[in-house]
Amino acid sequence: MAVICERFLENDTIKEKVYVATLDPGLEVFVFPKKGYNKQYASFATQFGSIDNTFYVEGKENLLEVPDGVAHFLEHKLFEGEQGNVFDEFARFGASANAYTNFTMTNYLFSSTDHFEKCFDLLLNFVQDPYFTKESVEKEKGIIAQEIRMYEDNPSWRLFFNLLGSLFAVHPVRKDIAGTVESIMDIDEEVLYKCYRTFYHPSNMALFVVGDLEPERVIHQVIDNLEKKNYQPMGEIKRIYPEEPKNVREKCVREKMEVSQPLLNLGFKDPNVGFTGRELFKKELASELLLEMLFGKASETYTRLYEEGLINDQFGSTFVGEKDYGYSIMGGETPDPDKLYQELLSSIKQYTQGGFREEDFERQRRKMLGEFLRSFNSLEFIANNFLYYHFRDNNLFDFVSLLKEITAEDIQVRLRELFDEKYHSCSIINNNGR
Amino acid sequence: MSGFESRLQMSKFLNYTLPNGVNLHIYPTDKFKTIVYSIFLHQNLKKDLAAKTALLPFVLERGSKKWPTTRELVITLEGLYGADIITEILKRGERQIVQFILEIVNPVYVQENGNLEKKGLEVLKEILTNPVVEGGGFKESYVNREKEILANLVKGLINDKVSYAVERCIQEMCREEDYGVYRLGRLEDIEHMDSKNLYSYYQDLLSTAPIDIFVLGKVDPEQTLALMEETFNFPKDKSFDMEPTLVYKEVKEPRYVEERLDVNQGKLTLGYRTNIMVKDEDYYPLLICNGILGAFPHSKLFQNVREKASLAYYASSRLERDKGIMLIASGIEMDNYEKALEIIQKQVESVKAGEISSDELESTRVGFINQVKVTEDSPYQIIGRYLGGIISGRQETQEEIIEQINRVKVEDVVRAAEKIQLDTIYFLRNKE
């Protein structure tokens, strides 16, 4: 078993270091020592998310379109082995295991304080050992159906997915991660195995471990584990995404729910996509900076809308940038969604015409650095974000240097391209009139 | 330097009393990237006062004499590397607590020449002790706007059905006790407040409420003590006493409450009286009892309601330890009400009957020990645990807690379980 490459990344500002090893057949392993922490946190992730619904099975000739929600369904089922539920095995060591699926990845994790090595073996083994039967797949449908029903009653969740559904015409990002109660009924053990064989090869995965641990030891444990599994190299995974037009599908989508006051999300579809690596990360940071300057608590817009009673302190904004798609969102609770919608659009128009103040830019940059530093108190933040950025060919530590690199001109460019009124949608949840 | 370093390793609270009677707890540690300052103002929970107490931090955060608008405050904090001031309203037993948090980046990481701690603390002090005052009251426009905000938050409880169903069960169960009031108070009390009576209420409260201040991070205790004496030197009278929480209550007959809303999923919540206080000998047995029943994925509720019967995505139990009540919550298909209720009650009965495998007991035990140990990895959890000790009157170290968890036997769990009585069944379901 060969170690293809071993190296470390460090950052002088954060004063932290992460060890990285690339192991045959292509698994990336990260170990982030955190002195003095009682907790160890490990995650094993694959680049398989809800948007990966059309692909060539095992990279070969047969194109397969899978039911919506299959990546999330697989995540649930992987916890069940031939010997029973793997949750119980973690529990015997006092550890707690969990997993989540998002648009682009599935992540399995545990946190422990004692018996790290045993828990780590459990994680490595259960993720590499699928066991799906007809009965267990059928049983899971009831559980996941209730998970979906729970989200159906969650106004913020509905607001968000209604927005994605109207911003995007065909790209699978417009669909709910867990699928629908109807779509999951079409899932069977066969399709789960096909997905597993395609996406759970080590070359499509990464491991991240953080805690008061010795990197060498952890990496050796992975080497020993992989050696027994006899992996064959696998070619590139071919995922097929439909060609998404620049235009949005709908201008505005409305739904009625049991809420105390209406909710509004305004979204802009990013027309400038196709980036990876540092460029993508920089675009993301510039967009986040811009949103804070325009709509953060210190902005004129926020102050005015708060005073007018149109927003409360839950009002917020965010940017998401992937290689093939990107969007910004702003919004929150409001007594008058239609008015807030118009106010936000006109405020954006003012900014795009009048620009922003240099001092706001410098202050937001300082604030973002402070918040980033603060996040390194949390092992969960470290692991989840390192993996997220790694899968985008980024290194989380680059946050600091990129933040310094960004110029006022970069922000101006983003201001003009991200807020093109042609490419916006809005999502509104109204009270169902109790 | 070496003396300072060795003190940093202590990882425990040093306790002081400031000249005005405020309690100060300093926890020096170099484990974290930040320094956390946390102020807790304790008030007895009363139904008609809860909204008034809850409104205070909203108004205070709007501005101070030095920085009279939220915007100026925020700009100042953002300039301090995104220092954050957060306020919270907590309900712990029949006690309502107003919390003010300041978290700043440890200056080591940002080569800050000025004094980041001192500047941050000045903002915190301004918010707490120097509000914008006009005509003998808080600024009226702030109070009016924040009353709207608070009213919307109280009404907004309904938006998240998962927590709504649990809160409603508590409200129904404790409708005759002060604990039955929502942590942000009642809607009808918000209307009656004005800027003058709210201001005089605050002056009283600040002057007579017990106050605890925590400092956690890479700090020198002596310097910090001096800095805190200088910063929080506002005058105070003798503090009022905290009233005890009603915990022991015999239930004659469980009550059924049904509520109908336009929802897709039914929410079943069961409220129990445990008749056990944190200070009681049976507290740790109760903790383990709740663990076996529903605090983990290996627990009886998760295993039987979810894994075996496939009825729910979540089915769990939790303790409100300072009130001595236990809540079981699950989200189910409406038609499965009877089935789910029967399975849930069967699990409670089986714990009472001592049907506890050694796997269940040991997994629960090590699960809690894990939770106790990881408390040390978060500034907020370290402070939270110590605050819990202040509230309950049972202040214990990590080692003492673990020792007591280790001592619990099956018969102790059964003894605790026998005291638990079902009080209220609350079911949130769809409209007919």
Side-chain angles (χ1 to χ4, degrees), chain A residues 148-371:
Chain A
I148 293 169
R149 291 272 182 254
M150 182 177 83
Y151 282 110
E152 282 174 357
D153 284 337
N154 183 321
S156 320
W157 190 260
R158 294 301 322 144
L159 181 74
F160 174 60
F161 275 95
N162 287 351
L163 180 70
L164 290 185
S166 54
L167 276 177
F168 293 92
V170 286
H171 195 282
V173 68
R174 61 191 307 278
K175 293 176 176 176
D176 203 315
I177 292 162
T180 63
V181 173
E182 292 73 36
S183 77
I184 61 167
M185 294 306 155
D186 295 333
I187 293 172
D188 58 22
E189 66 280 15
E190 215 171 296
V191 72
L192 292 181
Y193 275 118
K194 281 179 182 163
C195 289
Y196 185 88
R197 288 197 302 266
T198 306
F199 293 104
Y200 283 70
H201 188 272
S203 58
N204 189 44
M205 301 178 76
L207 260 170
F208 197 97
V209 181
V210 50
D212 198 342
L213 293 159
E214 283 171 51
E216 284 301 313
R217 231 182 126 99
V218 176
I219 289 165
H220 270 104
Q221 197 181 339
V222 183
I223 293 173
D224 289 346
N225 184 287
L226 285 183
E227 243 167 14
K228 293 174 205 144
K229 313 272 177 186
N230 262 323
Y231 280 104
Q232 300 306 309
M234 194 174 76
E236 201 194 336
I237 299 170
K238 280 176 271 174
R239 301 166 167 89
I240 308 297
Y241 302 117
E243 186 144 349
E244 175 67 29
K246 280 198 164 145
N247 286 323
V248 299
R249 185 188 180 107
E250 273 172 282
K251 270 272 140 349
C252 193
V253 55
R254 291 163 194 268
E255 189 179 335
K256 285 187 173 178
M257 288 182 78
E258 197 87 53
V259 289
S260 61
Q261 69 171 337
L263 296 157
L264 168 93
N265 262 358
L266 172 62
F268 286 84
K269 189 167 167 179
D270 193 343
N272 193 15
V273 293
F275 302 102
T276 54
R278 273 178 78 87
E279 269 181 307
L280 178 61
F281 203 174
K282 189 170 173 179
K283 183 177 91 166
E284 182 189 321
L285 292 184
S287 309
E288 289 284 357
L289 259 171
L290 175 64
L291 283 169
E292 269 311 295
M293 286 158 60
L294 267 44
F295 302 108
K297 285 208 164 77
S299 67
E300 272 160 26
T301 303
Y302 179 94
T303 307
R304 185 170 50 81
L305 297 176
Y306 188 96
E307 273 312 318
E308 286 172 7
L310 274 175
I311 59 170
N312 60 26
D313 72 348
Q314 301 303 306
F315 181 87
S317 61
T318 187
F319 174 79
V320 172
E322 296 289 344
K323 179 174 170 285
D324 297 316
Y325 62 88
Y327 56 86
S328 65
I329 298 185
M330 63 218 68
E333 284 181 23
T334 177
D336 190 344
D338 291 288
K339 186 160 179 217
L340 179 59
Y341 177 29
Q342 292 311 320
E343 289 280 351
L344 288 172
L345 284 182
S346 75
S347 152
I348 285 165
K349 203 171 263 167
Q350 276 172 20
Y351 282 120
T352 44
Q353 285 163 2
F356 54 86
R357 277 197 304 263
E358 194 91 1
E359 60 181 86
D360 288 345
F361 168 55
E362 287 306 327
R363 199 182 63 250
Q364 286 310 330
R365 179 144 69 176
R366 186 181 262 241
K367 175 186 144 192
M368 270 176 78
L369 177 64
E371 285 178 348

Side-chain angles (χ1 to χ4, degrees), chain B residues 160-175:
Chain B
D160 177 4
K161 307 293 179 293
V162 175
S163 44
Y164 177 76
V166 174
E167 178 65 27
R168 286 285 298 119
C169 181
I170 294 174
Q171 288 177 359
E172 288 295 336
M173 182 171 167
C174 303
R175 67 198 178 284

Side-chain angles (χ1 to χ4, degrees), chain B residues 35-284:
Chain B
I35 305 174
V36 176
Y37 299 86
S38 190
I39 302 177
F40 297 93
L41 227 128
H42 305 257
Q43 170 65 300
N44 290 304
L45 180 68
K46 299 286 170 206
K47 277 189 175 158
D48 55 341
L49 270 185
K52 215 170 188 177
T53 312
L55 184 59
L56 292 171
F58 289 87
V59 174
L60 294 170
E61 272 197 281
R62 289 303 303 273
S64 75
K65 289 209 177 88
K66 183 160 181 183
W67 297 286
T69 63
T70 307
R71 192 164 175 223
E72 285 162 283
L73 275 174
V74 172
I75 287 174
T76 307
L77 289 166
E78 284 183 350
L80 303 175
Y81 291 90
D84 216 351
I85 288 189
I86 300 168
T87 58
E88 297 272 1
I89 309 290
L90 315 172
K91 184 170 102 172
R92 294 287 171 80
E94 269 129 31
R95 183 187 288 236
Q96 194 182 15
I97 303 171
V98 188
Q99 182 182 18
F100 301 83
I101 304 163
L102 165 71
E103 184 170 9
I104 55 167
V105 171
N106 184 335
V108 188
Y109 296 103
V110 288
Q111 286 103 44
E112 176 66 15
N113 302 323
N115 199 333
L116 213 54
E117 290 115 301
K118 218 167 172 169
K119 286 180 190 161
L121 274 174
E122 192 193 354
V123 184
L124 187 60
K125 177 194 174 159
E126 276 283 310
I127 287 176
L128 190 73
T129 64
N130 210 9
V132 185
V133 176
E134 56 177 34
F138 285 123
K139 188 172 165 139
E140 198 168 345
S141 62
Y142 288 177
V143 172
N144 289 340
R145 180 69 186 107
E146 297 308 311
K147 277 166 70 175
E148 277 176 28
I149 296 272
L150 183 66
N152 278 325
L153 279 174
V154 173
K155 289 185 215 154
L157 177 65
I158 201 169
N159 298 343
D160 177 4
K161 307 293 179 293
V162 175
S163 44
Y164 177 76
V166 174
E167 178 65 27
R168 286 285 298 119
C169 181
I170 294 174
Q171 288 177 359
E172 288 295 336
M173 182 171 167
C174 303
R175 67 198 178 284
E176 282 155 10
E177 296 147 65
D178 283 313
Y179 196 76
V181 67
Y182 182 42
R183 72 183 173 89
L184 299 178
R186 300 182 302 197
L187 213 48
E188 62 262 37
D189 298 316
I190 298 174
E191 294 157 35
H192 305 302
M193 287 184 259
D194 65 48
S195 50
K196 277 205 185 87
N197 65 31
L198 189 67
Y199 181 60
S200 68
Y201 174 66
Y202 181 57
Q203 284 181 308
D204 263 8
L205 191 67
L206 192 62
S207 159
T208 55
I211 297 178
D212 287 285
I213 302 184
F214 290 78
V215 182
L216 187 149
K218 189 165 182 179
V219 294
D220 175 78
E222 272 106 87
Q223 281 173 18
T224 303
L225 175 62
L227 182 60
M228 301 306 277
E229 275 179 359
E230 183 193 319
T231 308
F232 297 105
N233 59 353
F234 57 91
K236 260 183 86 61
D237 289 334
K238 192 179 173 301
S239 298
F240 55 73
D241 290 329
M242 297 310 296
E243 294 165 21
T245 295
L246 185 140
V247 169
Y248 306 124
K249 193 164 186 284
E250 284 295 314
V251 186
K252 287 191 195 81
E253 184 71 34
R255 191 165 152 253
Y256 175 77
V257 181
E258 186 180 282
E259 188 173 344
R260 287 178 179 268
L261 290 174
D262 188 9
V263 291
N264 293 298
Q265 184 179 60
K267 301 272 193 283
L268 177 57
T269 313
L270 278 68
Y272 295 81
R273 303 276 175 179
T274 71
N275 287 298
I276 295 168
M277 289 174 87
V278 177
K279 267 177 113 170
D280 292 346
E281 206 186 318
D282 279 338
Y283 174 68
Y284 284 98

Side-chain angles (χ1 to χ4, degrees), chain A residues 14 16 36 38-39 92 94 113-114 139 146 153 155 258 260 298 306-307 311 363-364 366 377, chain B residues 31 33-34 62 71 78-79 145-146 156 159 161 262 264-265 303 307 310 313 333 359 370 373 377:
Chain A
I14 313 165
E16 302 278 10
N38 293 339
K39 186 195 297 186
R92 284 183 200 115
T113 50
D114 301 304
K139 190 210 75 178
Q146 286 313 310
D153 284 337
E258 197 87 53
S260 61
Y306 188 96
E307 273 312 318
I311 59 170
R363 199 182 63 250
Q364 286 310 330
R366 186 181 262 241
N377 278 350
Chain B
K31 196 162 151 178
K33 304 273 181 216
T34 54
R62 289 303 303 273
R71 192 164 175 223
E78 284 183 350
R145 180 69 186 107
E146 297 308 311
N159 298 343
K161 307 293 179 293
D262 188 9
N264 293 298
Q265 184 179 60
Q303 292 290 332
E307 294 299 305
S310 201
Y313 172 64
E333 209 61 52
D359 227 25
N370 184 63
K373 287 183 176 167
D377 293 341

